[in-house]
């Protein structure tokens, strides 16, 4: 992988120093999601952040997307500090966030139109993406008429039309049924291998993490810190057969050891 | 084709001896939904002999009839053809109206702890309803079981909504086991769980199985989970659901995580993964809907 | 006014601490505006209205000019009549509506018979029943209570039915697995499971009861807050109109709050679930 | 779902939803309705207690066809009642929806005005009748004010609820894509609130019919409510029953009209 060489040229490297965040709510004790978290997500890499629910991974995702400010620490994209939401860092949430009252096409062209781009050009760009994602016949349909997998693909198209530097996906395939989930994983791996779009993929599923990742960052329970970084050197292009290789089993064990480090009830 | 020799009565160290009850013999079971209408064949000519105390996993894509089988065994649904015997007595037959009962308790996929009852009331519900023992003794027995499984007795007084999904699952399994059922039916119980919780649940289920051994029928779509937990893995074809493969898992018990990287385990997986993904592809081509 | 969807009668206790000051300002502004409109505005319409000062003085007057104040016995007689009628019809609606709703949800043939009958009667606005009720029932009191009951009954039945139907199938199966008989399932699954929706229905029913009670009292009664409001208008005792309205609002709010409180007490489990969800 | 599309690439999940809509009138339903009319007729024939003055269904039908179906006055009272309902209802929407939106968006306005609004909400609409007659110049306008009150509180509180339950992600995403505040309000917040407006309208129209009937009985000389009340006063109970049934049908028709408006407002819901 000539990842180091491409890193300086390709945009979308993310980093964080000493990031911490504590949620304070009236009537409840404060909950520290992140404490002194530092990380480097290189560009043009499929970075997978993994941890149990409640370890602060969604908090990290929202901070990278600019929806949440850290209490302390700094977050940067290609060296520049992250101030707030912006089209260069787009996020796909756990639940579909297509606007139900807009057709698929209106959903996709909302970004370009918001930034004053020419409508005809935006529609053309959207059409091209929808063809590639197999959604072109559903262009005038409403999200309620799409299947789970189709909604996710429409959301990825909605983001890609804005040529973001980084895609942030927060457990995007969690709500899908088993088969749709596996197909969407393959789908995103193909997309990444074609575009090398810098990606931060959040998940709680180890199999999904290993199948997708160039690199896995395993987070401890809250307050989340990265306890292990795992280089996934499975060959690309990835397909289902790599799940039955010995290397996969070894990576799985290594990841499980890190996930269970310090957990007493996992002594078997 | 399927080698139907019954698994050797292994009695590895630490595993409780085989119970006398819980022998299931499923012969030529068939289930057709809406026979005169769309006549959907969910299960076709399915036969399986389960020795008392065996842990059998049934794996297959959606629409392979695994939930239908469970519903028939649990008594939620009738049979169209074939017969099921439990310790020799007929359990389900086309004429015989099914009757759910505490001898075959189900742990449901989306969880079915009564939200309006405390953990303790949930666990003692079965014993109290069947008047098997006075309430006080039922409570004592429940607290014992809860304490033994990761000291859940501390949350005996709280409502299920306050528990994590993992804890709710463990309570639900205890609620089933406390009735001393002949067969425990698990319907994809760990499906929505993340890796860490899933592995914790595997450990607890194996621990409960080791301590009070019951016949277990474990439904799942996750082959790896099936191979890791069960003595036998039945791979189903997609609709109509038939037995495609019957794999004997002779990994020693108690099962440890390290075994998942062992050659024996990888060989077993190699054998099964092809069968399962073939069925998954066929199910997907037919646009098989995931039965919610 | 039988609504099954979003409970409109649910009042929001949303007084953020910072906002208490603003809320105070809001009330002050309202009173000042009201006073100014009555006394200094050019519109005759406003001048005819009683001003807030008049109302408060009359309301708290040990010897009220028009006989109604917090010190006058009559005031409490009227409150008693209205509250008695509202509660009588409310409890009647609960006694009939909840069981009917549960059996409609639990037994399909009960539903088949009752559902179409209810959908036949439901569109008729309950207050249209007032004249018929007076003919049907001997005397005013039962007629007013009947109309108020009708409103509350529809709200309770419909919401209980929705409650029973919202219970996931697995709970019934789990109970059957654990050896519960049909009667056990009714007591241990159907009723507790439907409880949250039942209480939504009860809150709407209470609001609806007060809503239709006023009409009944204004049209046909000799006692009650509705009667007072209408009577004070006829006798040109305008401040008492506002006293009657304010009292009605207060008592209506308190009774709904009481229903909510009972609901929260009975369903400790549900509250936690809501707490977890938010 | 009308056409829940099956994605050729990925099978959709078949949601097995228990439909709790009231079932079509199957035979048991029609039997119950027939039974109701039969019981009514019997009660009248046997002159059971209370029923001595009540006309039977057959008699009501005859009187209706005979005296009302073709009488201009009858249909005039329909027109009067409908006009009062829809005028009051419309004004309530025009004022209530923006107010609900402001409550949702502007925190200071909410803290200032909402408590006063909440104080007045529990007051039953009909309690406003005396003040309304006192305040408004004409009888007509005073009744329209009452129907306005009936629908106003409901639509405002529902719109306010709607704004509060907008998913933050819907707004965040728009901001990420570079949309300005006004565009977010117009393209995201407003459409997101439409379903709550629909609920507020459905509840509101039911209340306004109730209110107009009572207001007409108390303080008007025209309208279906008046017609029904005069039937009582002139002890012609048949007229009372005709009035009631007409009000029932009018009420039902208005809900049909409101449903139609809602479907137009929410094309994306049509697929549901």
């Amino acid at each position: 992988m000539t990842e180091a060489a491409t890193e300086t040229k390709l945009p979308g490297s993310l980093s964080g120093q000493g990031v911490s965040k504590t949620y304070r709510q009236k009537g409840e004790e404060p909950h520290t999601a992140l404490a002194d978290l530092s990380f480097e997500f290189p560009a043009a890499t499929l970075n997978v952040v993994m941890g149990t629910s409640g370890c602060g991974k969604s908090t990290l995702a929202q901070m990278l997307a600019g929806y949440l400010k850290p209490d302390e620490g700094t977050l940067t994209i290609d060296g520049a500090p992250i101030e707030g939401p912006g089209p260069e860092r787009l996020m796909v949430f756990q639940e579909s966030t297509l606007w139900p009252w807009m057709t698929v096409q209106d959903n996709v062209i909302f970004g370009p139109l918001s930034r004053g781009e020419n409508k005809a050009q935006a529609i053309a760009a959207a059409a091209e993406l929808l063809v590639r994602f197999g959604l072109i016949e559903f262009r005038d349909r409403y999200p309620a008429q799409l299947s789970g997998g189709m909604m996710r693909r429409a959301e990825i198209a909605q983001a890609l039309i804005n040529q973001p530097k980084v895609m942030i996906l927060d457990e995007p395939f969690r709500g899908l049924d088993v088969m749709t989930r596996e197909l969407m994983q393959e789908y995103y791996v193909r997309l990444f291998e074609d575009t090398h779009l810098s990606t931060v993929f959040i998940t709680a599923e180890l199999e999904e993490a290993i199948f997708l990742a160039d690199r896995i960052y395993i987070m401890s329970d809250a307050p989340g810190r990265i306890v292990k970084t795992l280089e996934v050197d499975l060959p690309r292009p990835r397909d289902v057969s790599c799940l039955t290789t010995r290397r996969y089993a070894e990576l799985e064990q290594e990841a499980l050891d890190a996930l269970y480090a310090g957990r007493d009830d996992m002594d078997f | 084709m399927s080698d139907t020799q019954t698994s050797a009565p292994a009695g590895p160290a630490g595993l409780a001896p085989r119970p006398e009850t819980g022998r299931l013999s499923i012969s030529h079971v068939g289930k057709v939904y809406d026979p005169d209408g769309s006549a959907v064949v969910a299960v076709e000519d399915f036969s399986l002999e389960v020795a008392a105390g065996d842990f059998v996993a049934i794996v297959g894509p959606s629409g392979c009839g695994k939930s239908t089988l469970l519903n028939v065994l649990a008594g939620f649904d009738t049979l169209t053809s074939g017969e099921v015997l439990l310790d020799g007595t007929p359990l389900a037959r086309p004429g015989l109206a099914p009757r759910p009962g505490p001898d075959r308790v189900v742990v449901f996929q989306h969880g079915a702890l009564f939200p309006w009852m405390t953990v303790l009331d949930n666990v003692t519900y079965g014993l109290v309803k069947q008047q098997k023992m006075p309430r006080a003794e039922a409570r004592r027995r429940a607290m014992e079981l809860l304490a033994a499984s990761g000291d859940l007795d501390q949350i005996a007084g709280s409502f299920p909504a306050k528990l994590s999904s993992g804890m709710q699952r463990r309570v639900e399994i205890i609620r089933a086991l406390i009735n001393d059922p002949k067969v425990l039916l698990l319907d994809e119980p760990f499906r929505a769980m993340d890796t860490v919780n899933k592995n914790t649940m595997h450990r607890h289920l194996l621990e409960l199985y080791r301590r009070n051994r019951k016949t277990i029928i474990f439904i799942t779509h996750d082959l790896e989970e099936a191979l890791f937990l069960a003595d036998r893995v039945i791979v189903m074809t997609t609709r109509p659901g038939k037995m495609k493969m019957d794999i004997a898992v002779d990994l020693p018990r108690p099962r440890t995580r390290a075994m998942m990287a062992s050659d024996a385990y990888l060989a077993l997986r190699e054998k099964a993964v092809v069968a399962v993904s073939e069925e998954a592809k066929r199910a997907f081509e037919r646009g098989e809907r995931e039965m919610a | 006014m039988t609504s099954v969807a979003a409970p409109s009668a649910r009042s929001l206790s949303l007084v953020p601490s910072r906002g208490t000051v603003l809320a105070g300002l809001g009330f002050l502004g309202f009173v000042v505006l009201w006073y100014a409109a009555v006394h200094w505005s050019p519109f005759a319409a406003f001048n005819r209205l009683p001003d807030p000062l008049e109302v408060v003085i009359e309301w708290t007057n040990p010897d009220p000019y028009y006989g109604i104040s917090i010190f006058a016995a009559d005031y409490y007689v009227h409150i008693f009549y209205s509250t008695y009628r509202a509660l009588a019809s409310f409890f009647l609606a609960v006694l009939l509506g909840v069981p009917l709703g549960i059996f409609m949800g639990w037994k399909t043939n009960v539903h088949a018979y009752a559902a179409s009958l209810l959908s036949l009667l439901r569109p008729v606005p309950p207050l249209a029943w007032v004249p018929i009720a007076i003919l049907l029932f001997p005397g005013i009191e039962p007629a007013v209570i009947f109309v108020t009951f009708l409103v509350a009954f529809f709200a309770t039945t419909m919401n209980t039915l929705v409650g029973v139907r919202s219970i996931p199938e697995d709970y019934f199966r789990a109970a059957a697995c654990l050896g519960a008989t049909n009667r056990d399932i009714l007591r241990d699954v159907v009723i507790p499971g439907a409880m949250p929706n039942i209480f939504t229905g009860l809150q709407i029913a209470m609001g609806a009861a007060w809503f239709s009670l006023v009409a009944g009292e204004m049209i046909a009664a000799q006692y009650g807050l509705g009667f007072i409001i209408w009577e004070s208008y006829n006798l040109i005792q305008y401040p008492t109109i506002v006293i009657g309205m304010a009292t009605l609002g207060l008592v209506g709010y308190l009774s709904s709050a009481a229903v909510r409180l009972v609901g929260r007490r009975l369903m400790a489990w549900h509250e936690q679930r809501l707490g977890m969800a938010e | 779902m009308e056409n829940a599309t099956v994605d050729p690439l990925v099978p959709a999940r078949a949601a097995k939803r228990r439909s709790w809509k009231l079932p079509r009138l199957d035979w048991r339903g029609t039997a119950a309705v027939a039974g109701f009319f039969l019981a009514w007729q019997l009660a009248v024939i046997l002159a059971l207690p209370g029923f001595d003055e009540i006309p039977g269904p057959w008699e009501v039908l005859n009187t209706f066809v005979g005296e009302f179906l073709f009488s201009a006055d009858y249909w005039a009272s329909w027109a009067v009642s409908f006009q009062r309902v829809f005028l009051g209802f419309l004004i309530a929407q025009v004022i209530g929806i923006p107010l609900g939106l402001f409550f949702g968006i502007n925190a200071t306005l909410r803290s200032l005005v909402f408590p006063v609004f909440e104080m007045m909400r529990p007051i039953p609409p009909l309690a406003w009748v005396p003040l309304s007659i006192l305040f408004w110049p004409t009888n007509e306008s005073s009744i329209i004010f009452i129907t306005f009150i009936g629908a106003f509180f409901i639509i405002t509180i529902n719109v306010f609820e709607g704004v509060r339950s907008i998913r933050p992600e819907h707004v965040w995403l728009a901001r990420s894509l570079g949309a300005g505040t006004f565009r977010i309000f117009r393209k995201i917040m407003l459409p997101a609130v439409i379903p709550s407006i629909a609920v507020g309208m459905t509840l509101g129209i039911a209340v306004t019919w109730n209110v107009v009937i009572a207001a007409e009985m108390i303080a008007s000389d025209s309208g279906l409510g008046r017609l029904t009340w005069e039937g009582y006063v002139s002890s012609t109970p048949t007229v009372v029953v005709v009035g009631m049934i007409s009000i029932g049908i009018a009420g039902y028709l208005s809900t049909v009209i409101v449903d139609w408006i809602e479907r137009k407002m929410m094309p994306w819901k049509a697929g549901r």
Side-chain angles (χ1 to χ4, degrees), chain B residues 1-6 45-48 232-235 242-248 271:
Chain B
M1 242 320 281
S2 70
D3 41 4
T4 51
Q5 41 86 359
T6 55
D45 186 21
F46 180 83
S47 299
L48 179 67
R232 263 167 83 192
V233 173
I234 311 293
V235 177
K242 290 206 291 286
M243 181 187 292
K244 177 166 184 170
M245 224 172 175
D246 177 356
I247 305 162
K271 200 161 102 178

Side-chain angles (χ1 to χ4, degrees), chain A residues 204-206 243 246 252 260, chain B residues 193-195 199 224 263 269:
Chain A
E205 278 288 319
L206 185 54
L243 294 178
R246 166 166 301 290
E252 193 179 37
Y260 295 135
Chain B
M193 292 190 175
D194 59 47
T195 301
N199 277 277
E224 203 165 300
D263 294 342
R269 192 158 75 166

Side-chain angles (χ1 to χ4, degrees), chain A residues 75-266:
Chain A
L75 292 145
T76 64
I77 173 169
D78 298 335
I82 292 177
E83 298 303 338
E88 76 285 359
R89 284 158 293 113
L90 291 177
M91 184 156 157
V92 174
F93 297 91
Q94 262 186 39
E95 274 129 39
S96 164
T97 19
L98 292 172
W99 295 295
W101 50 86
M102 291 187 205
T103 61
V104 170
Q105 173 172 292
D106 291 347
N107 262 287
V108 175
I109 61 174
F110 183 85
L113 296 191
S114 297
R115 297 192 302 281
E117 284 170 27
N118 167 301
K119 180 155 186 176
Q121 269 169 355
I123 292 179
E128 194 206 309
L129 271 169
L130 291 176
V131 165
R132 214 169 110 210
F133 284 20
L135 290 170
I136 192 64
E137 318 89 32
F138 305 101
R139 176 172 29 187
D140 301 324
R141 291 286 179 75
Y142 287 102
Q145 296 164 302
L146 302 184
S147 72
M150 288 156 72
M151 279 197 235
R152 298 275 84 171
R153 296 208 307 277
E155 281 171 277
I156 295 174
Q158 179 187 48
L160 288 187
I161 196 170
N162 307 288
Q163 278 109 27
K165 289 191 194 134
V166 180
M167 275 291 278
I168 303 161
L169 301 105
D170 185 3
E171 298 192 63
F173 308 142
R174 187 174 164 141
L176 303 176
D177 63 79
V178 173
M179 277 199 296
T180 316
R181 184 184 193 132
E182 279 152 17
L183 285 159
M184 287 309 292
Q185 286 164 358
E186 267 178 62
Y187 201 88
Y188 194 80
V189 156
R190 286 295 85 68
L191 182 71
F192 172 76
E193 283 158 0
D194 297 348
T195 61
H196 279 288
L197 172 61
S198 311
T199 301
V200 178
F201 193 99
I202 314 274
T203 182
E205 278 288 319
L206 185 54
E207 190 182 289
E208 183 172 70
I210 300 178
F211 178 69
L212 291 169
D214 289 326
R215 192 182 283 189
I216 302 179
Y217 307 82
I218 295 179
M219 284 181 74
S220 63
D221 286 348
R225 271 187 333 293
I226 293 183
V227 292
K228 183 165 180 65
T229 305
L230 211 60
E231 293 293 335
V232 179
D233 50 9
L234 295 173
R236 285 199 187 272
R238 298 269 171 83
D239 64 33
V240 174
S241 62
C242 79
L243 294 178
T244 55
T245 60
R246 166 166 301 290
R247 182 61 187 132
Y248 171 87
E250 284 159 10
L251 286 168
E252 193 179 37
Q253 289 308 318
E254 225 180 311
L256 285 175
D257 292 341
L259 278 165
Y260 295 135
R263 279 172 172 276
D264 52 14
D265 63 356
M266 280 314 296

